[in-house]
Amino acid sequence: MDKAIEVEHLHVSYYGKEVINDISFSFDTGKLIGIIGPNGAGKSTLMKAILELIPRDHGSVKIHGNPVKKMRKKIAYVPQRSNIDWDFPINVFHTVLLGTYPKLGLFKRPGRKEKDWAYTCLQQVGMEKYAKQQIGELSGGQQQRVFLARALAQQAEIFFLDEPFVGIDVASEQTIISILKRLRDKGKTVFVVHHDLSKVEDYFDDLILINKKLIQSGPVSDVFQAETMSKAYQTNFPFMKAGFSV
Amino acid sequence: MVQFINDIMQYEFLQKALFTSVMVGILCGVIGSFIILRGMALMGDAISHAILPGVAISFMLGINYFYGAVLMGVITSLGIGFVTQNSRIKSDSSIGIVFSAFFALGILLLMKAQTVVDLSSILFGNVLSVRSSDMWLTLGIGIFVLLIVFLFYKELLITTFDPVISTSYGIPTKFVHYGLMVLLTLVTVASLQTVGVILVVAMLITPAATAYLLTNRLSIMIVLAALFGSISSVLGLYFSFKYNLTSGAVIVLVATVIFLLAFLFSPQQGIVWRALRTNKQRTSF
């Protein structure tokens, strides 16, 4: 099977302080993968380093066998929600339309085809009724669905979502996870930074458990064990008995 | 007003002034829209002040002030970026440090070059003394800036709205930033004759901010900002000519009046309608 991602000996530091220490893993395509670990474990940093949004000290990342630079158009990223200007003069539809930009190339503008496709993506997340609203007028869950629609509009092969379920309503969470599972079923690879351990087994096929270092990566049934989890969180999980997961 | 139109027909200097100030109004509106959305209003102020030493040195060397001004503008934006990224000093402070240093230097240099340059016309502008060469320079800058914005509209939109996503798309976000700084410098230089160094920032910010209160589409915001900028220029020029007032100051005040109207009466954002809506809701109980 085609390798979706190969990460080898990744090191990242902020001003000399190591935050990602020698992390390696690889996954086949068609998986829904959770990146989990305690607060400050470097989950978001790992994702940003993979995407080359922050510099890495050492290590290599290959997406479908190619360096990230060559694969940008095929990589969709949904960052944490907070850091954009919510008063920006842009509506929901045009936000989703941005997702068609990487394929357009220089000097080209989105035409009929791109607009129809963006609308289809908006329908997939159930937000077409809000197409003309300004993005700041939406609730947190609705905003997150719009950003997922933008990622869908990119027609990517591999998806990276950073804490998509934080501060959103249950209905939106259900919509989002079912879309992610559908992507997975179509052979796409989906990475999700996640911290709510209660849903881990429902949501993911595989896990990457980190705490600055890689604790373990692999199928949920292997990683989500009391002993392994305790190593990452450096605390006991009395509700998880050894060899028995919740 | 009829008299004013007759005068425009009659006097070439007035035609030049009108053409130049409308061009400046359009350019400031277009670039200003991106500047205020990026939260870089202060940057416009900084660059306009910091080009002063460039102007002075150009006069000393006997070359067109355009070259020195553009060079200083670029150095300033690089310098501000460098201080911000390499220390804990936040961008508003580094802007303050860098531009006041250059402005101070510029004043001293202009004092030295007093014989050829009139400091006050650079500081406050004098649109009625626009020469043909200035007019063509403004037109050249105008065509260049508008063309670049048109061609790279997509990149400018996404790097302004969501720099993280644009980087993940592989768009050179930092390069676009510095490119925009160059355009900002060009527009500032083009505005020197019309409104002067001190008031350029008002032309960059006020029409764009007015437009921002009236629409939720960037493309419409840019068109409106250009419209308000040019209306301010024409009316400002009219009052300045009629009552013999400093052109820059009048143009800026006209822009401010338009802003106040939008601030009060914008259908969505205007405080008058907002208060009425709130009041109606409350009294319905």
Side-chain angles (χ1 to χ4, degrees), chain A residues 53 72 77 79 84-85 87-91 94-95 98-99 101-102 104-110 134-135 137 150 154, chain B residues 37 85 149-155 157-158 160-165 167-171 212 215-218 221 268:
Chain A
L53 296 173
R72 289 256 184 239
Y77 175 46
I84 62 158
D85 174 10
D87 289 325
F88 197 89
I90 193 167
N91 65 24
H94 283 93
T95 306
L98 297 177
Y101 281 15
L104 276 174
L106 226 48
F107 309 138
K108 294 244 174 62
R109 297 194 180 212
Q134 201 268 338
I135 46 155
E137 294 167 6
R150 177 171 69 181
Q154 217 183 316
Chain B
L37 290 173
Q85 277 161 26
V149 170
F150 180 76
L151 289 177
F152 295 98
Y153 179 74
K154 219 164 68 233
E155 285 74 15
L157 165 61
I158 193 159
T160 305
F161 173 51
D162 197 336
V164 175
I165 280 294
T167 310
S168 88
Y169 285 176
I171 293 167
Y212 181 52
T215 175
N216 275 329
R217 282 282 297 280
L218 177 62
M221 175 175 164
Q268 283 297 314

Short mmCIF file of all heavy atoms in Angstrom, two decimals, chain A residues 53 72 77 79 84-85 87-91 94-95 98-99 101-102 104-110 134-135 137 150 154, chain B residues 37 85 149-155 157-158 160-165 167-171 212 215-218 221 268:
data_model
loop_
_atom_site.label_atom_id
_atom_site.label_comp_id
_atom_site.label_asym_id
_atom_site.label_seq_id
_atom_site.Cartn_x
_atom_site.Cartn_y
_atom_site.Cartn_z
N LEU A 53 5.31 24.87 8.47
CA LEU A 53 4.86 26.21 8.84
C LEU A 53 5.80 26.80 9.88
O LEU A 53 5.83 28.00 10.10
CB LEU A 53 3.43 26.17 9.38
CG LEU A 53 2.39 25.71 8.36
CD1 LEU A 53 1.04 25.53 9.02
CD2 LEU A 53 2.29 26.70 7.21
N ARG A 72 2.14 20.67 -1.60
CA ARG A 72 1.29 21.69 -0.97
C ARG A 72 -0.16 21.65 -1.46
O ARG A 72 -1.09 21.79 -0.68
CB ARG A 72 1.86 23.07 -1.23
CG ARG A 72 3.14 23.34 -0.46
CD ARG A 72 2.85 24.24 0.71
NE ARG A 72 4.06 24.61 1.42
CZ ARG A 72 4.28 24.34 2.70
NH1 ARG A 72 3.36 23.71 3.41
NH2 ARG A 72 5.39 24.69 3.30
N TYR A 77 -5.11 21.97 5.35
CA TYR A 77 -4.82 22.22 6.76
C TYR A 77 -5.94 23.06 7.35
O TYR A 77 -6.34 24.06 6.75
CB TYR A 77 -3.48 22.94 6.86
CG TYR A 77 -3.05 23.41 8.24
CD1 TYR A 77 -3.14 22.58 9.35
CD2 TYR A 77 -2.54 24.69 8.41
CE1 TYR A 77 -2.72 23.01 10.60
CE2 TYR A 77 -2.11 25.14 9.66
CZ TYR A 77 -2.21 24.30 10.75
OH TYR A 77 -1.81 24.73 11.98
N PRO A 79 -6.32 25.04 10.68
CA PRO A 79 -5.66 25.41 11.93
C PRO A 79 -6.66 25.64 13.07
O PRO A 79 -7.86 25.61 12.85
CB PRO A 79 -4.93 26.71 11.58
CG PRO A 79 -5.52 27.20 10.32
CD PRO A 79 -6.31 26.10 9.69
N ILE A 84 -7.66 34.37 13.37
CA ILE A 84 -7.91 35.20 12.20
C ILE A 84 -8.80 36.37 12.62
O ILE A 84 -9.37 36.38 13.70
CB ILE A 84 -8.58 34.44 11.03
CG1 ILE A 84 -9.93 33.90 11.45
CG2 ILE A 84 -7.68 33.35 10.51
CD1 ILE A 84 -10.82 33.63 10.28
N ASP A 85 -8.92 37.35 11.70
CA ASP A 85 -9.74 38.53 11.96
C ASP A 85 -11.19 38.21 11.62
O ASP A 85 -11.55 38.09 10.45
CB ASP A 85 -9.19 39.68 11.10
CG ASP A 85 -10.07 40.92 11.18
OD1 ASP A 85 -10.98 40.95 12.04
OD2 ASP A 85 -9.85 41.84 10.38
N ASP A 87 -13.75 39.99 11.77
CA ASP A 87 -14.48 41.10 11.15
C ASP A 87 -14.06 41.32 9.70
O ASP A 87 -14.46 42.31 9.10
CB ASP A 87 -14.23 42.40 11.95
CG ASP A 87 -14.93 42.35 13.29
OD1 ASP A 87 -16.03 41.77 13.35
OD2 ASP A 87 -14.38 42.88 14.27
N PHE A 88 -13.24 40.44 9.18
CA PHE A 88 -12.76 40.62 7.81
C PHE A 88 -13.95 40.66 6.84
O PHE A 88 -14.89 39.89 6.98
CB PHE A 88 -11.83 39.48 7.42
CG PHE A 88 -10.98 39.76 6.22
CD1 PHE A 88 -9.76 40.37 6.36
CD2 PHE A 88 -11.42 39.42 4.94
CE1 PHE A 88 -8.97 40.64 5.25
CE2 PHE A 88 -10.64 39.69 3.83
CZ PHE A 88 -9.41 40.30 3.99
N PRO A 89 -13.89 41.59 5.85
CA PRO A 89 -15.02 41.68 4.92
C PRO A 89 -15.05 40.50 3.94
O PRO A 89 -14.66 40.62 2.79
CB PRO A 89 -14.79 43.01 4.19
CG PRO A 89 -13.33 43.25 4.31
CD PRO A 89 -12.90 42.65 5.60
N ILE A 90 -15.52 39.37 4.42
CA ILE A 90 -15.63 38.19 3.56
C ILE A 90 -16.81 37.37 4.07
O ILE A 90 -17.05 37.31 5.28
CB ILE A 90 -14.32 37.37 3.58
CG1 ILE A 90 -14.30 36.32 2.46
CG2 ILE A 90 -14.11 36.70 4.94
CD1 ILE A 90 -12.93 35.69 2.24
N ASN A 91 -17.58 36.79 3.16
CA ASN A 91 -18.70 35.98 3.61
C ASN A 91 -18.34 34.49 3.58
O ASN A 91 -17.24 34.12 3.17
CB ASN A 91 -19.97 36.31 2.82
CG ASN A 91 -19.86 35.94 1.35
OD1 ASN A 91 -19.05 35.08 0.97
ND2 ASN A 91 -20.64 36.60 0.52
N HIS A 94 -17.37 32.96 0.08
CA HIS A 94 -16.05 33.34 -0.42
C HIS A 94 -14.91 32.77 0.43
O HIS A 94 -13.81 32.57 -0.08
CB HIS A 94 -15.93 34.87 -0.54
CG HIS A 94 -16.63 35.39 -1.75
ND1 HIS A 94 -17.93 35.82 -1.72
CD2 HIS A 94 -16.24 35.49 -3.04
CE1 HIS A 94 -18.29 36.19 -2.94
NE2 HIS A 94 -17.29 36.00 -3.76
N THR A 95 -15.20 32.49 1.70
CA THR A 95 -14.20 31.82 2.53
C THR A 95 -13.93 30.42 2.00
O THR A 95 -12.79 29.98 1.89
CB THR A 95 -14.68 31.74 3.99
OG1 THR A 95 -15.02 33.05 4.44
CG2 THR A 95 -13.61 31.17 4.91
N LEU A 98 -11.86 30.21 -1.21
CA LEU A 98 -10.41 30.31 -1.04
C LEU A 98 -9.75 28.95 -1.21
O LEU A 98 -8.60 28.86 -1.68
CB LEU A 98 -10.04 30.86 0.34
CG LEU A 98 -10.49 32.27 0.70
CD1 LEU A 98 -10.10 32.60 2.13
CD2 LEU A 98 -9.88 33.28 -0.25
N GLY A 99 -10.47 27.89 -0.85
CA GLY A 99 -9.92 26.54 -0.95
C GLY A 99 -9.60 26.13 -2.37
O GLY A 99 -8.82 25.20 -2.60
N TYR A 101 -8.09 28.10 -4.48
CA TYR A 101 -6.95 28.90 -4.95
C TYR A 101 -5.71 28.09 -5.31
O TYR A 101 -5.09 28.35 -6.34
CB TYR A 101 -6.56 29.96 -3.90
CG TYR A 101 -7.43 31.19 -3.88
CD1 TYR A 101 -8.67 31.21 -4.52
CD2 TYR A 101 -7.02 32.35 -3.23
CE1 TYR A 101 -9.47 32.33 -4.49
CE2 TYR A 101 -7.83 33.48 -3.20
CZ TYR A 101 -9.05 33.47 -3.83
OH TYR A 101 -9.82 34.58 -3.80
N PRO A 102 -5.29 27.11 -4.47
CA PRO A 102 -4.02 26.44 -4.77
C PRO A 102 -3.98 25.83 -6.16
O PRO A 102 -2.94 25.83 -6.81
CB PRO A 102 -3.94 25.34 -3.70
CG PRO A 102 -4.78 25.83 -2.59
CD PRO A 102 -5.88 26.62 -3.22
N LEU A 104 -5.56 26.95 -8.80
CA LEU A 104 -5.83 27.92 -9.86
C LEU A 104 -4.56 28.41 -10.55
O LEU A 104 -4.55 28.64 -11.75
CB LEU A 104 -6.58 29.12 -9.30
CG LEU A 104 -8.09 28.96 -9.19
CD1 LEU A 104 -8.67 30.17 -8.49
CD2 LEU A 104 -8.71 28.80 -10.56
N GLY A 105 -3.49 28.60 -9.77
CA GLY A 105 -2.28 29.14 -10.39
C GLY A 105 -2.34 30.65 -10.51
O GLY A 105 -3.38 31.27 -10.31
N LEU A 106 -1.19 31.22 -10.85
CA LEU A 106 -1.01 32.67 -10.88
C LEU A 106 -1.99 33.35 -11.86
O LEU A 106 -2.26 32.82 -12.92
CB LEU A 106 0.43 32.97 -11.30
CG LEU A 106 1.20 34.03 -10.49
CD1 LEU A 106 1.08 33.80 -9.00
CD2 LEU A 106 2.66 34.03 -10.92
N PHE A 107 -2.46 34.51 -11.48
CA PHE A 107 -3.28 35.40 -12.33
C PHE A 107 -4.67 34.86 -12.67
O PHE A 107 -5.46 35.53 -13.29
CB PHE A 107 -2.57 35.74 -13.65
CG PHE A 107 -1.17 36.25 -13.48
CD1 PHE A 107 -0.15 35.83 -14.31
CD2 PHE A 107 -0.87 37.15 -12.45
CE1 PHE A 107 1.14 36.30 -14.15
CE2 PHE A 107 0.42 37.61 -12.28
CZ PHE A 107 1.42 37.18 -13.14
N LYS A 108 -4.95 33.60 -12.29
CA LYS A 108 -6.28 33.05 -12.61
C LYS A 108 -7.26 33.36 -11.48
O LYS A 108 -6.89 33.40 -10.32
CB LYS A 108 -6.17 31.54 -12.78
CG LYS A 108 -5.35 31.13 -13.98
CD LYS A 108 -6.21 30.39 -15.01
CE LYS A 108 -5.43 30.11 -16.27
NZ LYS A 108 -4.27 29.25 -16.03
N ARG A 109 -8.51 33.55 -11.83
CA ARG A 109 -9.53 33.79 -10.82
C ARG A 109 -10.54 32.65 -10.82
O ARG A 109 -10.74 32.02 -11.85
CB ARG A 109 -10.26 35.09 -11.14
CG ARG A 109 -9.27 36.19 -11.05
CD ARG A 109 -9.88 37.52 -11.00
NE ARG A 109 -8.76 38.44 -10.93
CZ ARG A 109 -8.79 39.59 -10.30
NH1 ARG A 109 -9.88 39.96 -9.70
NH2 ARG A 109 -7.73 40.36 -10.27
N PRO A 110 -11.14 32.41 -9.66
CA PRO A 110 -12.14 31.35 -9.63
C PRO A 110 -13.31 31.66 -10.56
O PRO A 110 -13.85 32.76 -10.54
CB PRO A 110 -12.60 31.33 -8.16
CG PRO A 110 -12.07 32.57 -7.54
CD PRO A 110 -10.94 33.04 -8.36
N GLN A 134 -21.58 37.04 6.94
CA GLN A 134 -20.19 37.36 7.25
C GLN A 134 -19.70 36.31 8.26
O GLN A 134 -20.46 35.90 9.13
CB GLN A 134 -20.14 38.78 7.81
CG GLN A 134 -18.79 39.46 7.72
CD GLN A 134 -17.95 39.25 8.95
OE1 GLN A 134 -18.48 38.95 10.01
NE2 GLN A 134 -16.65 39.38 8.80
N ILE A 135 -18.44 35.86 8.16
CA ILE A 135 -18.00 34.72 8.97
C ILE A 135 -18.06 34.96 10.47
O ILE A 135 -18.28 34.05 11.24
CB ILE A 135 -16.57 34.26 8.61
CG1 ILE A 135 -15.66 35.48 8.49
CG2 ILE A 135 -16.53 33.43 7.35
CD1 ILE A 135 -14.24 35.14 8.74
N GLU A 137 -20.33 36.29 12.10
CA GLU A 137 -21.69 36.18 12.64
C GLU A 137 -22.06 34.74 12.98
O GLU A 137 -23.14 34.49 13.52
CB GLU A 137 -22.69 36.71 11.60
CG GLU A 137 -22.55 38.20 11.32
CD GLU A 137 -23.32 38.63 10.07
OE1 GLU A 137 -24.05 37.81 9.49
OE2 GLU A 137 -23.17 39.80 9.69
N ARG A 150 -13.81 24.62 3.36
CA ARG A 150 -12.69 25.20 2.61
C ARG A 150 -11.62 24.14 2.34
O ARG A 150 -11.05 24.09 1.24
CB ARG A 150 -12.08 26.37 3.39
CG ARG A 150 -10.88 26.98 2.70
CD ARG A 150 -10.42 28.26 3.35
NE ARG A 150 -9.85 28.01 4.67
CZ ARG A 150 -9.40 28.98 5.46
NH1 ARG A 150 -9.46 30.23 5.09
NH2 ARG A 150 -8.90 28.69 6.64
N GLN A 154 -10.38 22.13 -1.49
CA GLN A 154 -9.02 22.01 -2.01
C GLN A 154 -8.80 20.69 -2.75
O GLN A 154 -7.81 20.53 -3.43
CB GLN A 154 -8.06 22.10 -0.82
CG GLN A 154 -6.79 22.85 -1.13
CD GLN A 154 -5.87 22.84 0.08
OE1 GLN A 154 -6.30 23.07 1.21
NE2 GLN A 154 -4.60 22.58 -0.16
N LEU B 37 -6.90 46.39 6.88
CA LEU B 37 -7.30 45.02 7.19
C LEU B 37 -6.16 44.21 7.78
O LEU B 37 -6.37 43.25 8.51
CB LEU B 37 -7.84 44.33 5.94
CG LEU B 37 -9.19 44.86 5.47
CD1 LEU B 37 -9.57 44.25 4.14
CD2 LEU B 37 -10.27 44.59 6.50
N GLN B 85 10.77 41.02 14.62
CA GLN B 85 10.96 39.57 14.61
C GLN B 85 12.13 39.12 15.47
O GLN B 85 12.20 37.96 15.85
CB GLN B 85 11.16 39.09 13.17
CG GLN B 85 9.83 38.88 12.46
CD GLN B 85 9.98 38.87 10.96
OE1 GLN B 85 11.02 38.54 10.44
NE2 GLN B 85 8.92 39.24 10.26
N VAL B 149 -2.05 45.13 -8.08
CA VAL B 149 -3.15 44.71 -7.22
C VAL B 149 -4.14 43.85 -8.01
O VAL B 149 -4.64 42.84 -7.51
CB VAL B 149 -3.86 45.94 -6.59
CG1 VAL B 149 -5.15 45.53 -5.89
CG2 VAL B 149 -2.94 46.63 -5.61
N PHE B 150 -4.40 44.23 -9.24
CA PHE B 150 -5.32 43.46 -10.07
C PHE B 150 -4.79 42.05 -10.32
O PHE B 150 -5.50 41.06 -10.16
CB PHE B 150 -5.55 44.19 -11.40
CG PHE B 150 -6.48 43.47 -12.33
CD1 PHE B 150 -7.85 43.50 -12.10
CD2 PHE B 150 -6.00 42.76 -13.41
CE1 PHE B 150 -8.72 42.83 -12.95
CE2 PHE B 150 -6.87 42.08 -14.26
CZ PHE B 150 -8.23 42.12 -14.02
N LEU B 151 -3.51 41.96 -10.68
CA LEU B 151 -2.93 40.65 -11.03
C LEU B 151 -2.80 39.73 -9.82
O LEU B 151 -2.98 38.54 -9.92
CB LEU B 151 -1.56 40.84 -11.69
CG LEU B 151 -1.57 41.42 -13.10
CD1 LEU B 151 -0.15 41.62 -13.60
CD2 LEU B 151 -2.33 40.50 -14.05
N PHE B 152 -2.46 40.33 -8.68
CA PHE B 152 -2.20 39.50 -7.49
C PHE B 152 -3.31 39.63 -6.45
O PHE B 152 -3.08 39.42 -5.26
CB PHE B 152 -0.84 39.84 -6.88
CG PHE B 152 0.31 39.51 -7.80
CD1 PHE B 152 0.89 40.48 -8.59
CD2 PHE B 152 0.77 38.21 -7.89
CE1 PHE B 152 1.92 40.18 -9.44
CE2 PHE B 152 1.81 37.88 -8.75
CZ PHE B 152 2.39 38.87 -9.53
N TYR B 153 -4.51 39.96 -6.90
CA TYR B 153 -5.62 40.17 -5.97
C TYR B 153 -5.85 38.95 -5.08
O TYR B 153 -6.02 39.05 -3.87
CB TYR B 153 -6.89 40.49 -6.75
CG TYR B 153 -8.09 40.70 -5.88
CD1 TYR B 153 -8.22 41.86 -5.13
CD2 TYR B 153 -9.07 39.71 -5.75
CE1 TYR B 153 -9.31 42.05 -4.30
CE2 TYR B 153 -10.16 39.89 -4.92
CZ TYR B 153 -10.27 41.06 -4.20
OH TYR B 153 -11.35 41.24 -3.37
N LYS B 154 -5.84 37.77 -5.69
CA LYS B 154 -6.05 36.52 -4.98
C LYS B 154 -5.04 36.35 -3.84
O LYS B 154 -5.40 36.06 -2.71
CB LYS B 154 -5.82 35.40 -6.00
CG LYS B 154 -6.74 34.26 -5.91
CD LYS B 154 -6.70 33.41 -7.17
CE LYS B 154 -5.45 32.70 -7.40
NZ LYS B 154 -4.61 32.62 -8.42
N GLU B 155 -3.78 36.57 -4.16
CA GLU B 155 -2.71 36.41 -3.18
C GLU B 155 -2.82 37.47 -2.08
O GLU B 155 -2.63 37.17 -0.89
CB GLU B 155 -1.34 36.50 -3.85
CG GLU B 155 -0.95 35.27 -4.66
CD GLU B 155 -1.70 35.14 -5.99
OE1 GLU B 155 -2.31 36.13 -6.43
OE2 GLU B 155 -1.68 34.04 -6.57
N LEU B 157 -5.56 39.00 -1.11
CA LEU B 157 -6.74 38.67 -0.30
C LEU B 157 -6.41 37.59 0.72
O LEU B 157 -6.64 37.76 1.92
CB LEU B 157 -7.90 38.21 -1.21
CG LEU B 157 -9.06 37.49 -0.53
CD1 LEU B 157 -9.74 38.41 0.50
CD2 LEU B 157 -10.11 37.04 -1.55
N ILE B 158 -5.83 36.49 0.27
CA ILE B 158 -5.67 35.37 1.20
C ILE B 158 -4.56 35.63 2.22
O ILE B 158 -4.69 35.25 3.38
CB ILE B 158 -5.50 34.02 0.46
CG1 ILE B 158 -5.66 32.89 1.47
CG2 ILE B 158 -4.17 33.92 -0.25
CD1 ILE B 158 -6.02 31.59 0.86
N THR B 160 -3.87 38.46 3.46
CA THR B 160 -4.40 39.42 4.40
C THR B 160 -5.38 38.74 5.36
O THR B 160 -5.34 38.96 6.57
CB THR B 160 -5.12 40.57 3.66
OG1 THR B 160 -4.22 41.13 2.72
CG2 THR B 160 -5.58 41.64 4.62
N PHE B 161 -6.24 37.91 4.81
CA PHE B 161 -7.29 37.29 5.61
C PHE B 161 -6.74 36.19 6.52
O PHE B 161 -7.06 36.13 7.71
CB PHE B 161 -8.36 36.71 4.69
CG PHE B 161 -9.42 35.90 5.38
CD1 PHE B 161 -10.09 36.40 6.48
CD2 PHE B 161 -9.75 34.63 4.93
CE1 PHE B 161 -11.07 35.66 7.12
CE2 PHE B 161 -10.73 33.89 5.56
CZ PHE B 161 -11.39 34.40 6.66
N ASP B 162 -5.93 35.29 5.96
CA ASP B 162 -5.50 34.12 6.71
C ASP B 162 -4.07 33.73 6.32
O ASP B 162 -3.86 32.85 5.50
CB ASP B 162 -6.48 32.97 6.41
CG ASP B 162 -6.37 31.87 7.45
OD1 ASP B 162 -5.31 31.76 8.09
OD2 ASP B 162 -7.35 31.12 7.62
N PRO B 163 -3.08 34.42 6.94
CA PRO B 163 -1.68 34.18 6.55
C PRO B 163 -1.23 32.73 6.79
O PRO B 163 -0.41 32.21 6.03
CB PRO B 163 -0.87 35.14 7.42
CG PRO B 163 -1.83 35.79 8.36
CD PRO B 163 -3.22 35.51 7.91
N VAL B 164 -1.80 32.08 7.81
CA VAL B 164 -1.40 30.69 8.09
C VAL B 164 -1.81 29.79 6.93
O VAL B 164 -1.01 29.00 6.41
CB VAL B 164 -2.03 30.20 9.41
CG1 VAL B 164 -1.72 28.73 9.63
CG2 VAL B 164 -1.52 31.04 10.57
N ILE B 165 -3.05 29.93 6.51
CA ILE B 165 -3.54 29.10 5.40
C ILE B 165 -2.79 29.42 4.11
O ILE B 165 -2.43 28.53 3.35
CB ILE B 165 -5.06 29.31 5.23
CG1 ILE B 165 -5.82 28.49 6.26
CG2 ILE B 165 -5.53 28.94 3.83
CD1 ILE B 165 -5.68 26.98 6.09
N THR B 167 0.23 30.41 3.77
CA THR B 167 1.53 29.75 3.84
C THR B 167 1.38 28.26 3.56
O THR B 167 2.20 27.66 2.85
CB THR B 167 2.17 29.95 5.22
OG1 THR B 167 2.12 31.33 5.54
CG2 THR B 167 3.62 29.50 5.23
N SER B 168 0.33 27.67 4.10
CA SER B 168 0.15 26.23 3.88
C SER B 168 -0.21 25.94 2.42
O SER B 168 0.01 24.84 1.93
CB SER B 168 -0.91 25.65 4.83
OG SER B 168 -2.20 25.75 4.28
N TYR B 169 -0.74 26.92 1.70
CA TYR B 169 -0.99 26.76 0.27
C TYR B 169 0.30 26.92 -0.55
O TYR B 169 0.28 26.78 -1.76
CB TYR B 169 -1.99 27.81 -0.24
CG TYR B 169 -3.43 27.59 0.14
CD1 TYR B 169 -4.40 28.52 -0.18
CD2 TYR B 169 -3.83 26.44 0.81
CE1 TYR B 169 -5.74 28.33 0.16
CE2 TYR B 169 -5.16 26.24 1.16
CZ TYR B 169 -6.11 27.20 0.83
OH TYR B 169 -7.43 27.01 1.17
N GLY B 170 1.38 27.32 0.12
CA GLY B 170 2.63 27.52 -0.60
C GLY B 170 2.78 28.93 -1.17
O GLY B 170 3.68 29.18 -1.96
N ILE B 171 1.90 29.87 -0.76
CA ILE B 171 2.05 31.26 -1.20
C ILE B 171 3.12 31.92 -0.34
O ILE B 171 3.11 31.78 0.88
CB ILE B 171 0.70 32.00 -1.06
CG1 ILE B 171 -0.31 31.41 -2.05
CG2 ILE B 171 0.87 33.50 -1.29
CD1 ILE B 171 -1.74 31.83 -1.80
N TYR B 212 -15.01 50.19 4.85
CA TYR B 212 -15.07 49.00 5.71
C TYR B 212 -16.38 48.97 6.49
O TYR B 212 -16.91 47.89 6.79
CB TYR B 212 -13.86 49.05 6.66
CG TYR B 212 -13.71 47.90 7.61
CD1 TYR B 212 -13.72 46.58 7.17
CD2 TYR B 212 -13.52 48.14 8.97
CE1 TYR B 212 -13.55 45.54 8.06
CE2 TYR B 212 -13.35 47.10 9.86
CZ TYR B 212 -13.37 45.80 9.40
OH TYR B 212 -13.20 44.77 10.28
N THR B 215 -19.52 47.55 3.83
CA THR B 215 -19.62 46.33 3.04
C THR B 215 -18.94 45.15 3.71
O THR B 215 -18.09 45.33 4.58
CB THR B 215 -19.00 46.52 1.63
OG1 THR B 215 -19.02 45.28 0.93
CG2 THR B 215 -17.57 47.01 1.72
N ASN B 216 -19.35 43.95 3.28
CA ASN B 216 -18.69 42.73 3.73
C ASN B 216 -17.98 42.01 2.60
O ASN B 216 -17.78 40.80 2.63
CB ASN B 216 -19.71 41.78 4.37
CG ASN B 216 -19.94 42.12 5.82
OD1 ASN B 216 -19.04 42.60 6.50
ND2 ASN B 216 -21.14 41.88 6.30
N ARG B 217 -17.63 42.78 1.55
CA ARG B 217 -16.87 42.19 0.45
C ARG B 217 -15.62 43.02 0.23
O ARG B 217 -15.71 44.23 0.07
CB ARG B 217 -17.71 42.20 -0.84
CG ARG B 217 -18.76 41.12 -0.93
CD ARG B 217 -18.18 39.77 -1.29
NE ARG B 217 -17.56 39.75 -2.62
CZ ARG B 217 -18.24 39.64 -3.74
NH1 ARG B 217 -19.55 39.56 -3.74
NH2 ARG B 217 -17.61 39.60 -4.89
N LEU B 218 -14.47 42.36 0.19
CA LEU B 218 -13.22 43.10 0.02
C LEU B 218 -13.20 43.87 -1.30
O LEU B 218 -12.78 45.03 -1.35
CB LEU B 218 -12.03 42.15 0.10
CG LEU B 218 -10.67 42.80 -0.15
CD1 LEU B 218 -10.37 43.86 0.90
CD2 LEU B 218 -9.55 41.77 -0.18
N MET B 221 -15.23 46.87 -1.01
CA MET B 221 -14.57 47.79 -0.08
C MET B 221 -13.50 48.60 -0.82
O MET B 221 -13.38 49.81 -0.64
CB MET B 221 -13.94 47.01 1.07
CG MET B 221 -13.13 47.85 2.02
SD MET B 221 -12.56 46.86 3.42
CE MET B 221 -11.27 47.94 4.05
N GLN B 268 -25.56 48.82 8.32
CA GLN B 268 -25.24 47.72 9.22
C GLN B 268 -24.53 48.19 10.49
O GLN B 268 -24.88 47.80 11.60
CB GLN B 268 -24.34 46.70 8.50
CG GLN B 268 -25.09 45.81 7.54
CD GLN B 268 -26.11 44.95 8.24
OE1 GLN B 268 -25.83 44.34 9.26
NE2 GLN B 268 -27.33 44.91 7.71
#
